[in-house]
């Protein structure tokens, strides 16, 4: 009987959450603490009305709405529920003093947690709600134990009461747990909706910026062409100035190209490209840069593996990633590039012994304009990720501060030369 009544109470506890998600989700009133207070007050009222009486004791989940209102709705909602509880309790009569005292006690603990609660993440919030929700069961247990001693209850009665406490505790924890999970999923849904709106806005902005970048690139090319002609003819002071202007123009052009590439990678000519060959070309390209930085680049290749791509795009993606590795590494460090195939996938692993990143930094990778460098653009990684994803591949980062970073790129293999052709090469660009 007790379990049955308490299950009804569980439904009552979950009622406000369902009403909220069906009627008030996505409405501005949905956030109001007053709405939360009203809905939880209804729950507390119903819970008291459908309380189960046995041996002069009332079994129900009356304190759960209070805990939920304080934690998820804030102090206003909590106090509203407390007042509703006190009013209903007065209306019901009985031992009012004990009723009031236990009401205030049950409100105290969640009230003390209000401030800290929202500094926790979702999992910890659920755990805290369950723990705070346990508090009423504990006070119930204390009252019962006191009762048993005062009334000198028989062994049989004591057993029955203990069984009831066990049932009560289990159902209460279950109800609070489910309610907290449902609340969290509502919060997450709301965050997701906001994130989608933000992403849509950014997307429109991105498209706008891309069209402007495109328009700027054309006159820039013309200006650069003429300046180059002047540069060739100039001999005096202006020669030096023009050189500077041209380098800066080149930089502006490469930023615009990177940005346009990010907005939409252009795959001009798709062809079967040999990975080992592309990587060799890229490392040759970066050789001088690595030498300047004092970083050794080691390469290990498996020849005969082809991917279908625009060679220049894949080269661009690899240059960005390897360059980041070299830039992150101090003089005397290493960048290792290895490429192997397994099944119908090709792996390129680029690891460095550089400064590494923490998990927050890794999470920001791929966010356009995120950079920690003075002269950085924050475009390289975003462009590389876009290109690799457009090829149907994937890229993942593993990193540890002070130890280094390992970037794994997985690409679908387009074709593979027969195995007798395949050979392993090891090339050490000891610089
Ligand atoms: P940029 O190189 O212009 O700063 P990127 O998009 O290439 O822009 O990189 C963004 C940021 O990610 C870098 O500023 C750097 O902080 C971090 N990063 C990328 N690759 C690595 C790496 N291999 N090791 C350490 N940090 C890295
Ligand atoms: Mg970079």
């Amino acid at each position: 009987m007790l379990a049955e009544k308490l299950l009804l109470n569980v439904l009552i506890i979950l009622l406000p959450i369902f009403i909220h998600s069906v009627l008030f989700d996505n409405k501005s009133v949905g956030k109001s603490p007053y709405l939360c207070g009203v809905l939880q007050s209804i729950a507390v009222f119903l819970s008291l009305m459908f309380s189960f009486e046995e041996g002069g004791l009332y079994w129900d989940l009356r304190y759960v709405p209070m805990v939920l209102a304080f934690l998820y709705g804030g102090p206003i909602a909590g106090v509203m529920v407390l007042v509703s509880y006190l009013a209903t309790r007065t209306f019901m009569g009985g031992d009012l003093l004990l009723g009031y005292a236990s009401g205030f006690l049950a409100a105290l603990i969640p009230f003390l947690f209000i401030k800290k609660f929202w500094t926790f993440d979702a999992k910890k919030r659920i755990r805290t709600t369950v723990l705070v929700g346990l508090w009423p069961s504990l006070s119930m247990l204390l009252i019962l134990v006191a009762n048993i001693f005062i009334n000198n209850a028989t062994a049989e009665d004591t057993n029955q009461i203990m069984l009831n406490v066990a049932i009560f505790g289990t159902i209460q924890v279950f109800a609070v747990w489910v309610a907290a999970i449902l609340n969290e999923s509502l919060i997450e849904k709301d965050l997701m909706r906001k994130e989608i709106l933000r992403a849509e806005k950014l997307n429109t902005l991105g498209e706008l910026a891309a069209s402007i970048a495109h328009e700027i690139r054309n006159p820039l090319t013309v200006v650069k062409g003429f300046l180059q002609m002047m540069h060739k003819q100039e001999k005096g002071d202006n020669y030096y100035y023009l050189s500077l202007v041209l380098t800066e123009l080149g930089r502006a052009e490469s930023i615009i190209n990177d940005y346009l590439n990010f907005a939409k990678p252009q795959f001009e000519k798709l062809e079967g490209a040999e990975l080992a060959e592309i990587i060799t070309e890229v490392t040759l390209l970066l050789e001088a840069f690595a030498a300047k930085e004092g970083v050794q680049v080691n390469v290990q290749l498996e020849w005969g593996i082809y991917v279908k791509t625009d060679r220049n795009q894949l080269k661009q993606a690899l240059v960005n990633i390897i360059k980041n590795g070299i830039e992150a590494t101090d003089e005397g460090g290493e960048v290792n590039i290895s490429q192997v195939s397994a099944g119908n996938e090709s792996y390129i692993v680029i690891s460095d012994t550089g400064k590494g990143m923490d998990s927050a930094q890794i999470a920001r990778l791929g966010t356009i304009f995120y950079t920690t460098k003075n002269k950085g653009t924050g475009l390289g990684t975003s462009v590389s990720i876009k290109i690799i994803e457009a090829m149907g591949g994937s890229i993942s980062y593993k990193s540890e501060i002070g130890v280094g970073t390992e970037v794994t790129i997985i690409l679908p293999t387009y074709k593979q030369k027969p195995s007798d052709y395949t050979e392993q090469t090891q090339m050490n660009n000891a610089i």
Side-chain angles (χ1 to χ4, degrees):
M1 267 313 275
L2 174 67
E4 206 178 316
K5 277 279 178 186
L6 284 181
L7 284 178
L8 175 64
N9 263 262
V10 173
L11 271 188
I12 293 172
I13 301 301
L14 300 181
L15 197 66
I17 303 171
F18 289 129
I19 293 182
H20 194 283
S21 74
V22 173
L23 295 183
F24 300 104
D25 198 21
N26 202 13
K27 301 219 169 63
S28 55
V29 67
K31 291 264 155 14
S32 154
Y34 297 102
L35 177 73
C36 173
V38 169
L39 290 176
Q40 297 291 4
S41 295
I42 297 174
V44 101
F45 173 77
L46 289 176
S47 174
L48 281 165
M49 286 295 136
F50 291 99
S51 173
F52 175 64
E53 200 233 305
E54 193 179 77
L57 286 163
Y58 290 91
W59 304 81
D60 53 61
L61 302 179
R62 65 182 76 176
Y63 301 121
V64 178
M66 197 126 70
V67 171
L68 293 176
F70 268 114
L71 292 183
Y72 281 97
I76 297 179
V79 170
M80 278 171 78
V81 178
L82 178 63
V83 170
S84 314
Y85 165 80
L86 295 176
T88 318
R89 201 54 200 82
T90 315
F91 166 74
M92 286 170 72
D95 189 349
L96 285 184
L97 206 63
L98 186 69
Y100 293 160
S102 57
F104 277 112
L105 260 177
L108 183 68
I109 301 278
F111 178 75
L112 293 178
F113 268 90
I114 288 180
K115 266 224 174 109
K116 262 205 151 168
F117 190 65
W118 290 105
T119 59
F120 299 156
D121 61 3
K123 271 198 189 130
K124 203 164 175 202
R125 281 203 295 271
I126 296 177
R127 248 181 288 146
T128 314
T129 314
V130 172
L131 280 179
V132 174
L134 255 176
W135 156 248
S137 329
L138 286 181
S139 51
M140 190 87 181
L141 186 67
L142 281 180
I143 294 172
L144 288 174
V145 172
N147 234 16
I148 291 170
F149 276 108
I150 293 165
N151 297 338
N152 263 335
T154 61
E156 206 176 306
D157 276 351
T158 313
N159 282 346
Q160 181 61 38
I161 288 174
M162 284 305 160
L163 180 68
N164 279 355
V165 170
I167 295 174
F168 176 76
T170 316
I171 291 183
Q172 164 139 339
V173 167
F174 172 74
V176 176
W177 180 63
V178 174
I181 287 180
L182 288 177
N183 269 329
E184 288 301 334
S185 74
L186 281 185
I187 293 170
E188 200 186 310
K189 215 171 95 185
D190 198 54
L191 282 179
M192 228 146 82
R193 193 182 305 120
K194 279 197 194 122
E195 186 56 32
I196 289 172
L197 278 181
R198 206 179 69 92
E200 265 171 20
K201 235 190 251 165
L202 272 183
N203 206 6
T204 329
L205 269 180
E207 274 169 19
L208 205 70
S211 60
I212 294 174
H214 190 78
E215 292 305 319
I216 292 177
R217 190 167 57 167
N218 296 339
L220 213 62
T221 319
V222 179
V223 171
K224 196 175 153 195
F226 281 111
L227 280 175
Q228 268 166 345
M229 272 163 58
M230 284 164 74
H231 190 231
K232 273 194 198 128
Q233 292 160 6
E234 200 59 57
K235 290 269 141 35
D237 260 0
N238 283 347
Y239 182 84
Y240 172 67
Y241 297 143
L242 279 174
S243 307
L244 275 183
V245 170
L246 278 171
T247 3
E248 289 306 303
L249 259 185
R251 198 169 125 76
E253 207 175 40
S254 82
I255 292 178
I256 288 181
N257 284 341
D258 271 356
Y259 181 79
L260 284 174
N261 223 341
F262 170 77
K264 199 162 191 271
Q266 299 281 334
F267 285 68
E268 276 160 12
K269 195 169 128 217
L270 285 181
E271 58 187 340
E274 188 167 19
L275 271 183
E277 192 186 316
I278 290 188
I279 294 174
T280 310
E281 281 175 25
V282 169
T283 38
L284 283 177
L285 204 71
L286 286 170
E287 202 172 277
F289 180 67
K292 197 180 97 210
E293 301 281 310
V295 175
Q296 177 169 328
V297 180
N298 305 314
V299 189
Q300 195 166 5
L301 302 168
E302 184 180 333
W303 289 85
I305 311 295
Y306 289 75
V307 291
K308 191 163 189 175
T309 184
D310 179 325
R311 298 174 67 91
N312 289 332
Q313 291 289 347
L314 181 58
K315 268 163 91 175
Q316 175 75 61
L318 291 174
V319 164
N320 291 342
I321 294 167
I322 299 170
K323 193 158 164 271
N324 276 344
I326 297 173
E327 281 169 342
T329 308
D330 284 334
E331 213 175 320
E334 283 179 16
V335 171
N336 296 301
I337 306 165
S338 69
Q339 171 249 327
V340 282
S341 78
N344 41 19
E345 282 177 334
S346 300
Y347 293 76
I348 305 172
V349 182
I350 298 157
S351 59
D352 62 63
T353 56
K355 61 179 180 334
M357 291 173 278
D358 60 21
S359 53
Q361 283 171 302
I362 293 182
R364 294 197 63 183
L365 281 177
T367 314
I368 194 161
F369 302 132
Y370 164 65
T371 180
T372 54
K373 298 169 193 163
N374 282 341
K375 278 204 151 186
T377 58
L379 283 166
T381 312
S382 317
V383 169
S384 301
I385 294 175
K386 273 260 176 167
I387 292 174
I388 284 157
E389 281 174 356
M391 283 176 65
S394 67
I395 176 166
S396 60
Y397 280 81
K398 238 181 12 200
S399 190
E400 202 175 319
I401 292 277
V403 178
T405 305
E406 187 180 286
V407 190
T408 307
I409 301 168
I410 306 177
L411 296 170
T413 306
Y414 171 55
K415 67 177 183 198
Q416 196 164 354
K417 284 273 168 71
S419 60
D420 56 317
Y421 177 85
T422 312
E423 54 179 285
Q424 293 262 347
T425 49
Q426 181 134 7
M427 175 172 105
N428 284 331
N429 293 356
I431 306 169

